[in-house]
């Protein structure tokens, strides 16, 4: 876990959002609307910031977060970001979902660092967008890890034929593309593929499209009510081969418990600990997390993995602030990209935070796990998405 004592850079050059006593951050999240549950990301990160402030802040400066609601509306998110930059004059912007992609051009021009809660592969293009970084792992990297696991699992039985069901948006396309990239090596084959619309709540027809005797596994990026119904329907069909869920939709509380007994046996590629998983009841990192959420979380549910996700970003961001040579946008981004291997309270065992200047993503490893009906059971060792990469 990270220490929260006062520390970090002491100098600045009159940067926007930085004063002798404060570091001002701006966030836009869906606190209302169809993805309102993700508003808890802001609550989790702010709880960690408050803990750091209580321990003296960053070289005596307190972190203050202005968090606005965009209701998962891209136009509102864009307006919020402009307000945060032009009126509130924040040092950095933190956003969710598709907003990081929509706002990249504006924030490059404004030279304001942007940190996104999003796995879209486009956000790994730090060469074109040097002010944009992402907290979440690249979706394409995750699906390649899944494909590699399935190929190795099927070794001796021929190439693993992997079918996909993905949401019809950039995230879903990135997930399928990651499978395609791996199967192009010849180690596995891409089976039948299909998509569903974000408004769909039932994907049973998509399951029927890809499920046949030739299919060795289903790799899916399905979320919300559609995922719960998919898990239940796949069990009804007496499917016995692997069903992989996207890591961002692996919550025990939100998805697996509502799916009931049908969820037993599903797989995912995890990087966060789920606080609702009983195996972490006495985990030191999550004990520290729960204590901080209880004190500074404004009533947030510590068993919510979305709260834990936001808290994890707070840990990572503070680590970058403390290691930055000075409080400037370029120094902050350089610190994020060069963070040494660091353990966080909420990361899976064996997975560490580590900067990567090529992609701007500090998480690139996953733990394949199978849900036993109560807990996620590891399947083998932690897997690096890019073996041999620095």
């Amino acid at each position: 876990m990270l220490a929260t004592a006062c520390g970090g850079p002491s100098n600045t050059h009159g940067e926007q959002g930085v004063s002798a006593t404060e570091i001002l951050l701006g966030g836009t999240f869906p606190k209302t609307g169809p993805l309102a549950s993700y508003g808890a990301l802001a609550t989790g990160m702010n709880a960690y910031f408050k803990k750091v402030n209580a321990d003296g802040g960053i070289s005596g400066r307190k972190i203050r977060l202005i968090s606005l609601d965009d209701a998962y509306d891209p136009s509102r998110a864009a307006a919020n970001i402009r307000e945060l930059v032009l009126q509130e004059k924040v040092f950095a912007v933190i956003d969710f979902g598709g907003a990081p992609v929509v706002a990249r051009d504006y924030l490059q021009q404004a030279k304001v660092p942007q940190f996104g809660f999003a796995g879209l592969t486009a956000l790994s293009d730090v060469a074109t967008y040097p002010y944009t970084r992402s907290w979440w792992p690249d979706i394409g990297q995750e699906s390649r890890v899944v494909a590699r696991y399935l190929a190795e699992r099927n070794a001796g039985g021929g190439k693993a034929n992997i079918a996909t069901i993905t949401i019809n948006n950039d995230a879903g396309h990135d997930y399928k593309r990651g499978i395609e990239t791996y199967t192009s090596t010849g180690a596995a084959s891409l089976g039948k593929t299909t998509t569903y619309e974000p408004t769909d709540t039932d994907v049973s027809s998509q399951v029927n499209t890809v499920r046949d005797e030739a299919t060795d596994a289903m790799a899916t990026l399905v979320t919300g009510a559609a995922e719960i119904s998919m898990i239940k329907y796949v069990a009804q069909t007496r499917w016995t081969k692997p069903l992989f869920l996207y890591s961002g939709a692996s919550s025990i509380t939100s998805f697996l418990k509502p799916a009931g007994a049908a969820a037993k046996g599903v797989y995912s590629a995890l990087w966060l600990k789920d606080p609702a998983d009983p195996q972490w009841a006495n985990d030191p990192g999550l004990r520290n997390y729960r204590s901080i959420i209880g004190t500074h979380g404004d009533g947030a549910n510590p068993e919510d993995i979305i709260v834990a996700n936001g808290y994890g970003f707070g840990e990572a961001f503070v680590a970058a602030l403390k290691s930055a040579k000075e409080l400037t946008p370029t120094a902050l981004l350089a610190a994020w990209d060069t963070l040494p291997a660091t353990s966080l309270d909420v990361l899976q065992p064996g997975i560490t935070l580590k900067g990567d200047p090529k992609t701007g993503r500090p998480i690139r490893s996953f733990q394949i796990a199978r849900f036993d009906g109560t807990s996620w059971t590891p399947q083998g060792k932690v897997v690096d998405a890019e073996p041999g990469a620095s």
Side-chain angles (χ1 to χ4, degrees), residues 45 74 76 87 159 194 211-212 235 254 377 388:
M45 83 169 80
R76 281 184 63 177
Q87 297 179 31
K159 293 182 181 180
T194 188
R211 181 184 61 85
D212 59 27
S254 299
T377 304

Side-chain angles (χ1 to χ4, degrees), residues 226-250:
E227 181 187 22
I228 297 168
S229 69
M230 177 187 71
I231 294 171
K232 291 179 177 180
Y233 184 70
V234 169
Q236 289 172 12
T237 67
R238 299 186 184 280
W239 173 266
T240 59
K241 300 172 183 178
L243 170 64
F244 262 87
L245 310 179
Y246 171 51
S247 64
S250 64

Side-chain angles (χ1 to χ4, degrees), residues 106-130:
Y106 172 71
L107 290 168
Q108 304 315 298
Q109 294 172 6
K111 299 188 185 308
V112 173
Q114 175 190 31
F115 295 86
F117 283 85
L120 300 173
T121 298
L123 296 175
S124 295
D125 185 8
V126 297
T128 305
Y129 294 95

Side-chain angles (χ1 to χ4, degrees), residues 13 28 94 96 98 108 114 116 156 170 172 204 214 235 245 248 282 284 304 322-323 338 350 359 363 371 373 388:
H13 300 292
T28 178
I94 306 156
F96 167 81
Q108 304 315 298
Q114 175 190 31
D170 288 342
S204 55
L245 310 179
N282 295 312
D304 184 351
K322 288 184 175 181
S323 64
T338 57
T359 67
I363 305 294
F371 189 64

Side-chain angles (χ1 to χ4, degrees), residues 359-381:
T359 67
R361 295 179 186 268
I363 305 294
R364 297 178 304 284
S365 299
F366 300 88
Q367 174 65 67
I368 300 295
R370 182 177 183 271
F371 189 64
D372 66 8
T374 302
S375 295
W376 284 105
T377 304
Q379 307 293 297
K381 298 179 180 179

